[in-house]
Amino acid sequence: MPTEISPQDGLPRCPWPGDDALYRHYHDNEWGRPVTSDTRLFEKICLEGFQSGLSWITILRKRDRFREVFHGFDIAKVAAMTQADIEHLLLDAGIIRHRGKIAAAINNARRTLEIQQEFGSLAAYIWRFEPQPGHRADDYSWSALSAVAQTDASRALSKDLRKRGFNFVGPTTCYAFMQSMGMVNDHIETCFCRPEVEAARAALQRPVR
């Protein structure tokens, strides 16, 4: 079983953060831990869109600047951004300068406001797509988990988001979103985070509004 063990603390981890300190901090403290904040969920939808075709560590290293230029991912403020804002952001080397992805973040904020109006919160909408326990495999080895790029649940979420007008929300992107936001626990079975995430998910009160 390929489990990463830090020479600093001796804790067994999933292999994917490697030796990068920022990546390990993200793995240890964020990835897989359930999120019900609309702001954080929206931020992750946007950043997963920017990641498309790139590595997550690239986005993670630019996340602070993304937060600055997108108003802390305040949904209403991002929804109010204009074409002039897009042109300005295309000059900002601190983010991913991709016109389509910048425009998608603004569009997706507007679509998120519609979801909040319909469901009461983005979280209430998103967590409706959490897969049921019986739909999850029992093999949490690295070889098994790393082979899964999308699932029935991520395809359903992707299909519904696209129907609502969201962009850059394909089924693989949606599965990465579900993994990171704690809708599934894909820490490998020997990772020290896995039981912590399981406990957090067991204690979570799923949002309904």
Side-chain angles (χ1 to χ4, degrees), residues 13-42:
R13 289 181 172 83
C14 301
W16 54 263
D19 295 324
D20 189 284
L22 179 63
Y23 220 3
R24 285 191 172 186
H25 184 272
Y26 173 74
H27 166 274
D28 293 357
N29 298 282
E30 292 187 52
W31 194 78
R33 298 178 188 269
V35 173
T36 58
S37 159
D38 277 15
T39 301
R40 285 197 58 206
L41 290 168
F42 172 68

Side-chain angles (χ1 to χ4, degrees), residues 169-191:
V169 287
T172 299
T173 294
C174 282
Y175 189 57
F177 169 82
M178 295 171 82
Q179 289 176 302
S180 61
M181 296 290 96
M183 297 176 70
V184 297
N185 182 2
D186 276 0
H187 285 280
I188 65 173
E189 55 200 355
T190 53
C191 177

Side-chain angles (χ1 to χ4, degrees), residues 24 37 39 52 61 66 78 91 95 122 132 135 143 148 191:
R24 285 191 172 186
S37 159
T39 301
S52 181
R61 289 172 179 152
F66 271 112
V78 177
L91 303 176
I95 66 168
L122 177 62
Q132 296 303 307
H135 294 172
S143 59
V148 179
C191 177

Side-chain angles (χ1 to χ4, degrees):
M1 172 74 60
T3 303
E4 188 71 31
I5 298 179
S6 167
Q8 287 78 32
D9 57 27
L11 293 172
R13 289 181 172 83
C14 301
W16 54 263
D19 295 324
D20 189 284
L22 179 63
Y23 220 3
R24 285 191 172 186
H25 184 272
Y26 173 74
H27 166 274
D28 293 357
N29 298 282
E30 292 187 52
W31 194 78
R33 298 178 188 269
V35 173
T36 58
S37 159
D38 277 15
T39 301
R40 285 197 58 206
L41 290 168
F42 172 68
E43 174 185 274
K44 198 62 166 65
I45 289 173
C46 291
L47 294 182
E48 288 289 356
F50 277 102
Q51 182 196 351
S52 181
L54 303 169
S55 65
W56 175 246
I57 189 59
T58 299
I59 304 301
L60 194 59
R61 289 172 179 152
K62 294 177 178 285
R63 185 168 64 170
D64 286 345
R65 183 58 181 162
F66 271 112
R67 286 171 170 171
E68 290 175 6
V69 301
F70 283 104
H71 310 288
F73 289 96
D74 180 291
I75 297 164
K77 290 181 179 179
V78 177
M81 292 173 72
T82 65
Q83 185 64 38
D85 292 310
I86 295 175
E87 300 302 326
H88 179 72
L89 290 178
L90 286 170
L91 303 176
D92 194 322
I95 66 168
I96 304 301
R97 292 178 288 181
H98 185 291
R99 183 182 296 275
K101 293 177 180 181
I102 294 169
I106 298 170
N107 168 74
N108 291 351
R110 295 168 183 169
R111 306 291 77 80
T112 297
L113 291 177
E114 295 168 355
I115 283 178
Q116 288 177 324
Q117 183 68 28
E118 181 177 352
F119 293 92
S121 69
L122 177 62
Y125 165 78
I126 288 293
W127 278 89
R128 293 167 60 244
F129 293 90
E130 179 186 14
Q132 296 303 307
H135 294 172
R136 296 284 291 158
D138 294 327
D139 186 349
Y140 295 103
S141 65
W142 174 241
S143 59
L145 291 174
S146 60
V148 179
Q150 55 182 260
T151 64
D152 289 344
S154 76
R155 285 187 284 271
L157 175 58
S158 171
K159 181 178 180 180
D160 199 73
L161 285 170
R162 287 187 290 189
K163 183 178 70 175
R164 293 173 181 276
F166 281 72
N167 297 320
F168 286 96
V169 287
T172 299
T173 294
C174 282
Y175 189 57
F177 169 82
M178 295 171 82
Q179 289 176 302
S180 61
M181 296 290 96
M183 297 176 70
V184 297
N185 182 2
D186 276 0
H187 285 280
I188 65 173
E189 55 200 355
T190 53
C191 177
F192 84 93
C193 291
R194 182 167 183 82
E196 296 179 1
V197 170
E198 280 296 288
R201 283 179 41 79
L204 181 70
Q205 183 173 351
R206 271 61 173 171
V208 295
R209 287 294 295 171

